[in-house]
Amino acid sequence: MSKTIIVSNRLPVKITENDGEYMLSPSEGGLATGLGSIYKQNDNIWIGWPGLEITEDDKKEKIIRQLKQQSLLPVFLSQEEISEYYEGFSNDVLWPVFHYYASTYANYKQSNWDFYQKVNEKFKDAVLKTAKPGDTIWVHDYQLMLLPALIREEQPDLAIGFFLHIPFPSYEMFRLIPWRAELIHGVLGADLIGFHTFDDVRHFLNAATRILPVTSSANIISDGERSIVVESFPMGIDEKKYASLPNDPQVKKDIKLIQDTFKNIKLVVTIDRLDYSKGILQRLQAFEHLLEQYPQYKEKIALYMVVVPSRDTVPQYAQLRDQIDKRVGSINAVYRTMDWTPIHYYYRSLPIEMLSALYYTADICLVTPMRDGMNLVSKEYVASRINNDGVLILSEMAGASKELIDALIVNPNNTVEVADTIIRAINMPLDEQQRRMQQMRQMVSKFNISHWVKIFMDKLKEVIQFQRSMQTRYIGSATQQSIINRYAKTNKRIIFLDYDGTLVDFKSNIEQASPDEELYRILIQLTEDPANHVVLISGRRHENLAEWFGDHRIDLVAEHGAWFKKQKTSWHKLPGLSAQWKHDILPILETYVDRTPGTFIEKKSYSLVWHYRKAQKGLGELRAGELMNNLKYLANDKGLQLLPGDKVVEIKNMEINKGKAALTLIDNNNYDFIMALGDDYTDEDIFKALPEGAVTIKIGSSLSAAKFYLRTPGEARRLLKNLTENSAVDKLIND
Ligand code: GDG
C-alpha cells in the first residue's frame, strides 16, 4: 500500500531529556495539527530533525524507537550541521533574502552553502530509505529547497510536493543569492510547488524562467521533460480549536483575570516570535506616536505585547531583543501613571490557554509584520472572536492580508497610519466590527487547515494523473514500434511536417534556421519511397521554402496555407485573399517596433508578424499582450486572426488555416496512413482537422489536440529516420 511521507526541518514534537529518559510532547504548530490527520494514518510517516543534538548511538536508538510509535522518523544533525545549515544558510541567507532584508542581514558564506547541500542530502537518504514506488512525498519549507530534485534524481517516479511557508521574494532580491540556480533547480524536482499567495507564485515563475532554461505557460513550468505546477494554497488554522477554547475552564479563568486587570481599558494585543521581519520596533514607534498625538487616550488604552523567544543566541536577534527592551522601558517611563502602564511586555512563550484568553479579550489585535509568508496569529484572533466583535489591524505585507480583506489593512512602515488606525479601531461602532468580523470568520472557518491539506493533496494527485496521461502519450519505444508497424503495412501515405520547432530547433535569428545535411538526408529518404506524399506545411514565406526545398519531391504549403506548390510545379495562392488590411495594421505594428528595442516586423504576402524574441525579457510579453488587446476589434472587423506564437504575434486572414490546407491535400485521395508533426498553435488546426485514424504528433509537452508527443526536433528526426529504416527491415522480414 502506498504511503505519504512528510518531510520538514523539525519534527512536530518537542523532546526533553530528563535523567537519560526522553519525553515527547506534541508541538502546537498549525502544521502539526493539519498534517496530524495524515501522518498518523496507514504507514505514513513524518521525517525531520528531533530538535536536539544526540551523539551517542544507544540514545539515538532509544529516540528512534520512541518516535516510531508516533510515526516519526528522526534525521540526527550534529552541532556543526545545525549551525551551518540551519542557523547559517537557512536563517542567515534564505530567511533575510526572502523577507527583503538581504542588504542588512544576509551573509553569503560558502561553508554554509556546503553544509546546506550536505544536510539536504542527509534528508534525501532518510527519505529514500523508506520511500517505495507509488509513495507521495511532501517537503516543507526553505530549509529543504534542494530535496525535491535530490529525491527525483534517484526515484524519478515518486510524487513530490513542495510547500514554502515564507514569502518567495521578487526576482531582484532572489538573484542576489550566489546559489540561486541550484535552489530553483532543487525546488523544480517537485511535481507541485505551493506558496501562500499568488504574488509568491508570480515571483517564483519569474525567477525560475529567468534563471534556468525553462519555460512557463500560465502556472505550469516545463523543463522540456516534465511539467511542474505552481499554485497558491493559503494555509489555514485549526479554526474549531480556537473557536472552542474560550469555553475551556482554564481559559475562562484567564479571561476573568485579564478582564479584571484591564477594566475600562481598550486592550491591544500583539503576538510574535522574536524576529526583525515582524516589525516589532516599528510597531512600538507607532504606539509611542499615538500616545504623543492622542493624549486623551492616556489610561484608556494598553498594548499587551508577547514576544516569543527565538534564535536569541544569534547576535542580531539578541540585539533586537535588547532594543525592544529599551524601547518599551523608555515609553513606559515617559507615559506611565500611578495606576496605568501603557505597554505590558512579555518575553516568553505562553500556554495556549493564556493565548486564547488574550485573543478572546483583546479589543484589537495588531499584526504589523514588515514581511510574513502568511501569519497565523491574525487568523487565530479571528477564529477566537466567537461574539463577532473586535478589530483586526493587519499589515499589507502579510500573506493573510490577501484573504482577510475585511481587516483594517495598513502599511507597517507608516507610523502615522498605524497610530491613526488604532484610534479608528478603538472607535469603530459595534455593527461595523461585527460586519467585518463575520466575513473574516467565514473565511477562516472555510479555509481551515484540513481544507488546506486536502486541496494540496488533491491537486498533487491531479498533477500526477496529468503527468501519467502525458507519459502514455509520449512516443516511447513501444509506441514507436506500433507506428512503424502501421507505416510498413500501408501503401499510400501522406505526411505533414511543420518546419520551425518541429524539424529544426528554434533560433533567435529566423534566417539562421536553415536546413542542415542530416535533415535533407531524412527528407530524401522519406520521399524516395513512392508510397509517401510528403508535405512541408509552414508559416514561412513562400520564397523562403522554395529556396530550401523547391527542388525536392516535397509539396510545399507556405504562410500557413496561403500558398501551395506541388512538386515540380509553380506556386499558386489561395483564391480570393486580400492584403488590403496591411495598410491599416502595419503602422500600428511599427509603433510597437519603435517602442520595443529588439523587435521587428516580418512581412508575408497575406500576413504580418511582429517578432520579439530579442526584446528584453518580460517586456516583449507585456507588449505582445498589449498589441493583442489593441488589435482585437480591428482584427475582427477586417476578418483577421491574431495568433500569439512562440515570441511572435502573427496577424493573418481568417480563411488561411493549416487545417484547411491539409484537408485540401487529402481530398478524396484514399490515403491509408496520415501523419502530422507540429509544434505550435497553428499546427493545432491540423491536428484537429485530420481524420480520426491519423497519427498526430506534437513536438513539446504542453497541452495539445495531438494524440502523441515528442520532446524535441531531434526526437522528431529520429522517428522519421526510423520510419524509413526500420520499416524497410520489417518489410524484408515479412516478405
Ligand atoms: C512561518 C511563516 C507562516 C506564538 N506565540 C505563542 C504561540 N504562538 C504560535 C501562534 C501561531 C504560531 O506560533 C506563529 O505562526 P506565524 O504564522 O505567525 O509565524 P512563523 O512561526 O514565523 O511561521 C509564517 C507560517 O510559517 C505558516 O506557514 O504563516 O508567515 O513565517 O500559531 O499561535 N503559541 C503558544 N504560545 C505562545 O506564546 N502556545
Short mmCIF file of all heavy atoms in Angstrom, two decimals, residues 323-341:
data_model
loop_
_atom_site.label_atom_id
_atom_site.label_comp_id
_atom_site.label_asym_id
_atom_site.label_seq_id
_atom_site.Cartn_x
_atom_site.Cartn_y
_atom_site.Cartn_z
N GLN A 323 17.02 46.00 21.99
CA GLN A 323 16.39 47.24 21.50
C GLN A 323 14.93 47.32 21.93
O GLN A 323 14.43 48.38 22.30
CB GLN A 323 16.49 47.31 19.98
CG GLN A 323 17.88 47.67 19.49
CD GLN A 323 18.00 47.55 17.97
OE1 GLN A 323 17.39 46.65 17.37
NE2 GLN A 323 18.77 48.42 17.36
N ILE A 324 14.25 46.15 21.84
CA ILE A 324 12.83 46.13 22.24
C ILE A 324 12.74 46.46 23.73
O ILE A 324 11.93 47.31 24.15
CB ILE A 324 12.18 44.76 21.94
CG1 ILE A 324 12.17 44.50 20.43
CG2 ILE A 324 10.75 44.70 22.48
CD1 ILE A 324 11.75 43.09 20.02
N ASP A 325 13.57 45.80 24.54
CA ASP A 325 13.60 46.05 25.99
C ASP A 325 13.72 47.55 26.28
O ASP A 325 12.95 48.13 27.05
CB ASP A 325 14.84 45.39 26.62
CG ASP A 325 14.61 43.92 26.92
OD1 ASP A 325 13.47 43.46 26.70
OD2 ASP A 325 15.57 43.24 27.33
N LYS A 326 14.67 48.16 25.62
CA LYS A 326 14.97 49.58 25.84
C LYS A 326 13.79 50.46 25.46
O LYS A 326 13.40 51.35 26.20
CB LYS A 326 16.16 49.98 24.96
CG LYS A 326 17.46 50.01 25.71
CD LYS A 326 18.44 50.89 24.94
CE LYS A 326 19.84 50.49 25.39
NZ LYS A 326 20.74 50.25 24.31
N ARG A 327 13.27 50.16 24.28
CA ARG A 327 12.18 50.99 23.75
C ARG A 327 10.95 50.92 24.65
O ARG A 327 10.33 51.92 24.98
CB ARG A 327 11.84 50.48 22.35
CG ARG A 327 11.11 51.44 21.48
CD ARG A 327 12.07 52.52 21.04
NE ARG A 327 11.38 53.71 20.63
CZ ARG A 327 11.33 54.13 19.38
NH1 ARG A 327 11.97 53.46 18.45
NH2 ARG A 327 10.67 55.24 19.07
N VAL A 328 10.60 49.68 25.05
CA VAL A 328 9.44 49.50 25.92
C VAL A 328 9.70 50.26 27.22
O VAL A 328 8.83 51.01 27.72
CB VAL A 328 9.20 48.00 26.21
CG1 VAL A 328 8.15 47.82 27.31
CG2 VAL A 328 8.77 47.28 24.95
N GLY A 329 10.91 50.08 27.75
CA GLY A 329 11.27 50.75 29.01
C GLY A 329 11.12 52.25 28.90
O GLY A 329 10.53 52.90 29.78
N SER A 330 11.62 52.81 27.82
CA SER A 330 11.59 54.28 27.74
C SER A 330 10.17 54.79 27.51
O SER A 330 9.79 55.81 28.08
CB SER A 330 12.57 54.78 26.68
OG SER A 330 11.99 54.71 25.42
N ILE A 331 9.36 54.08 26.73
CA ILE A 331 7.97 54.55 26.52
C ILE A 331 7.21 54.48 27.86
O ILE A 331 6.54 55.44 28.27
CB ILE A 331 7.25 53.70 25.44
CG1 ILE A 331 7.95 53.86 24.09
CG2 ILE A 331 5.77 54.11 25.33
CD1 ILE A 331 7.42 52.96 22.98
N ASN A 332 7.36 53.35 28.54
CA ASN A 332 6.67 53.21 29.82
C ASN A 332 7.14 54.27 30.81
O ASN A 332 6.34 54.83 31.56
CB ASN A 332 6.88 51.80 30.39
CG ASN A 332 5.89 50.81 29.77
OD1 ASN A 332 4.90 51.21 29.16
ND2 ASN A 332 6.14 49.52 29.93
N ALA A 333 8.44 54.54 30.79
CA ALA A 333 8.98 55.51 31.74
C ALA A 333 8.38 56.89 31.50
O ALA A 333 8.06 57.62 32.44
CB ALA A 333 10.50 55.56 31.61
N VAL A 334 8.19 57.25 30.24
CA VAL A 334 7.66 58.58 29.92
C VAL A 334 6.16 58.69 30.20
O VAL A 334 5.69 59.70 30.71
CB VAL A 334 7.97 58.94 28.45
CG1 VAL A 334 7.29 60.23 28.03
CG2 VAL A 334 9.47 59.04 28.23
N TYR A 335 5.40 57.64 29.86
CA TYR A 335 3.93 57.79 29.88
C TYR A 335 3.22 57.13 31.07
O TYR A 335 2.06 57.41 31.31
CB TYR A 335 3.34 57.25 28.57
CG TYR A 335 3.74 58.09 27.38
CD1 TYR A 335 4.82 57.72 26.58
CD2 TYR A 335 3.07 59.28 27.08
CE1 TYR A 335 5.22 58.49 25.50
CE2 TYR A 335 3.45 60.07 26.01
CZ TYR A 335 4.53 59.66 25.21
OH TYR A 335 4.90 60.44 24.16
N ARG A 336 3.92 56.29 31.79
CA ARG A 336 3.25 55.55 32.87
C ARG A 336 2.67 56.52 33.91
O ARG A 336 3.21 57.60 34.15
CB ARG A 336 4.28 54.62 33.51
CG ARG A 336 3.91 54.14 34.89
CD ARG A 336 4.98 53.29 35.50
NE ARG A 336 5.13 52.03 34.82
CZ ARG A 336 6.32 51.47 34.54
NH1 ARG A 336 7.43 52.10 34.85
NH2 ARG A 336 6.37 50.31 33.95
N THR A 337 1.54 56.11 34.52
CA THR A 337 1.00 56.89 35.65
C THR A 337 0.93 55.97 36.87
O THR A 337 1.27 54.78 36.76
CB THR A 337 -0.43 57.41 35.34
OG1 THR A 337 -1.28 56.27 35.15
CG2 THR A 337 -0.44 58.31 34.12
N MET A 338 0.45 56.47 37.96
CA MET A 338 0.41 55.67 39.19
C MET A 338 -0.36 54.36 38.98
O MET A 338 0.02 53.30 39.44
CB MET A 338 -0.27 56.46 40.32
CG MET A 338 0.63 57.54 40.88
SD MET A 338 2.07 56.83 41.71
CE MET A 338 1.37 56.50 43.31
N ASP A 339 -1.52 54.46 38.26
CA ASP A 339 -2.27 53.21 38.11
C ASP A 339 -2.44 52.76 36.65
O ASP A 339 -3.41 52.14 36.29
CB ASP A 339 -3.65 53.28 38.80
CG ASP A 339 -4.09 54.70 39.04
OD1 ASP A 339 -4.03 55.52 38.08
OD2 ASP A 339 -4.47 54.99 40.16
N TRP A 340 -1.48 53.12 35.82
CA TRP A 340 -1.58 52.69 34.41
C TRP A 340 -0.21 52.54 33.76
O TRP A 340 0.65 53.41 33.91
CB TRP A 340 -2.41 53.71 33.64
CG TRP A 340 -2.49 53.49 32.16
CD1 TRP A 340 -3.17 52.51 31.52
CD2 TRP A 340 -1.85 54.28 31.14
NE1 TRP A 340 -3.02 52.63 30.16
CE2 TRP A 340 -2.21 53.72 29.89
CE3 TRP A 340 -1.03 55.42 31.15
CZ2 TRP A 340 -1.78 54.24 28.67
CZ3 TRP A 340 -0.59 55.92 29.93
CH2 TRP A 340 -0.97 55.34 28.71
N THR A 341 -0.03 51.41 33.09
CA THR A 341 1.21 51.18 32.33
C THR A 341 0.81 51.01 30.87
O THR A 341 -0.03 50.16 30.57
CB THR A 341 1.91 49.90 32.81
OG1 THR A 341 2.07 49.99 34.22
CG2 THR A 341 3.25 49.71 32.13
#
